[in-house]
Amino acid sequence: MRISQRFTQHSARQRLTCAVLIATMALGTGCTVSEDTAAANAAANAAGTVSGADPEFIQPGGPPANPFSPAVRVGNLIFVSGTLGTLPDGKLAPGGIQAETKQLLENIKGTLGAAGVGMDRVVKCTVFLADLAEWPAMNEVYRQYFTNGKFPARAAVQATLLFGARVEMECVAAR
């Protein structure tokens, strides 16, 4: 079985995670295909971006209960783990998709704050929705967290989510 055949057997979320990992590894290895790319990598290294940087595990609430960090900084990039709209007691915010979206964005905002940046530094989001029909309602809340029309690049996919959540989001911010 070829790699491409095995790759298509995985869920959309697994394929997306693999694609992000491959892209991150390519950046982290300093792959070069030309002198121009080599110069760009040298500039990135001097600026403290991804290539060659040690990861910093951001855990604003102390050691995590589950085997993942809320965020990881590598160079100037901050990768925020998939986040649900949970309240401090661990329960989902009541009220459906909009309440969960607001709470998860507040949770992401808090995680980014612990990393020293704000929502204005978010450059990419992936939104996982239990029902794509709720995409417009999620967008109503989402757009309030980004000002001046500076919206991050984004993808949205339908997925089965933990704890009966309606929405989950992961994102990448740049320092």
Side-chain angles (χ1 to χ4, degrees):
M1 182 180 293
R2 292 188 326 223
I3 291 173
S4 61
Q5 290 171 320
R6 283 185 273 159
F7 189 68
T8 59
Q9 292 177 344
H10 296 287
S11 71
R13 184 172 184 172
Q14 289 169 321
R15 289 192 305 268
L16 177 64
T17 301
C18 285
V20 169
L21 180 60
I22 290 166
T24 303
M25 287 176 9
L27 286 171
T29 61
C31 293
T32 59
V33 294
S34 70
E35 289 181 24
D36 290 339
T37 304
N41 283 342
N45 284 333
T49 54
V50 173
S51 187
D54 288 330
E56 175 188 348
F57 300 92
I58 300 163
Q59 302 168 349
N66 293 307
F68 62 88
S69 293
V72 178
R73 181 190 340 257
V74 181
N76 285 339
L77 296 178
I78 301 161
F79 298 86
V80 178
S81 292
T83 304
L84 299 176
T86 52
L87 299 167
D89 65 5
K91 294 181 182 174
L92 288 170
I97 185 75
Q98 289 191 325
E100 284 185 41
T101 301
K102 180 177 177 165
Q103 186 61 49
L104 80 79
L105 285 163
E106 286 297 322
N107 294 345
I108 289 172
K109 188 175 176 181
T111 299
L112 290 172
V117 299
M119 295 296 284
D120 61 321
R121 304 302 298 170
V122 175
V123 296
K124 172 72 170 93
C125 291
T126 304
V127 181
F128 303 94
L129 293 160
D131 183 352
L132 287 176
E134 294 181 318
W135 188 71
M138 183 276 302
N139 268 333
E140 286 180 30
V141 177
Y142 177 89
R143 76 175 50 255
Q144 297 170 16
Y145 283 80
F146 302 99
T147 58
N148 301 324
K150 294 181 181 178
F151 298 109
R154 191 177 81 185
V157 296
Q158 187 165 335
T160 302
L161 303 174
L162 293 173
F163 313 120
R166 306 302 308 151
V167 61
E168 179 176 346
M169 191 178 304
E170 63 182 18
C171 59
V172 179
R175 232 170 49 162

